[in-house]
Amino acid sequence: MPNMSLTNREKLIVLITNAITLYSKKMEEGNMPQNQSIVDFVLKSIPGDLKSEMSMELIDDVFSQISK
């Protein structure tokens, strides 16, 4: 089977999805500070080596897909 490594964009999509899911779960449980925005939470969860490829458009796209 060929090596099917994820691209950095694909990794970011997975990480953003996981962060949004965790944010939502913490909000439901009341374990999230009131002043913590979802964007800040997502940005804090992205490893430094991928932050340069991160964009608000990508966060919006992923959030839009999850919300459907």
Side-chain angles (χ1 to χ4, degrees):
M1 182 170 196
N3 184 359
M4 306 258 317
S5 297
L6 295 175
T7 65
N8 283 349
R9 181 175 172 84
E10 291 167 332
K11 289 176 188 176
L12 280 170
I13 290 169
V14 170
L15 290 168
I16 293 167
T17 301
N18 288 341
I20 291 171
T21 301
L22 181 59
Y23 181 89
S24 297
K25 185 172 174 68
K26 285 181 171 268
M27 285 296 286
E28 287 174 8
E29 295 171 349
N31 293 332
M32 186 63 63
Q34 289 296 325
N35 59 349
Q36 176 79 56
S37 77
I38 192 165
V39 173
D40 288 339
F41 188 82
V42 169
L43 291 175
K44 287 178 183 174
S45 69
I46 302 301
D49 62 330
L50 295 175
K51 284 193 183 205
S52 65
E53 297 184 41
M54 186 69 159
S55 70
M56 274 306 301
E57 182 181 351
L58 185 57
I59 294 172
D60 287 344
D61 289 347
V62 172
F63 188 77
S64 171
Q65 288 299 312
I66 291 173
S67 299
K68 287 183 180 177

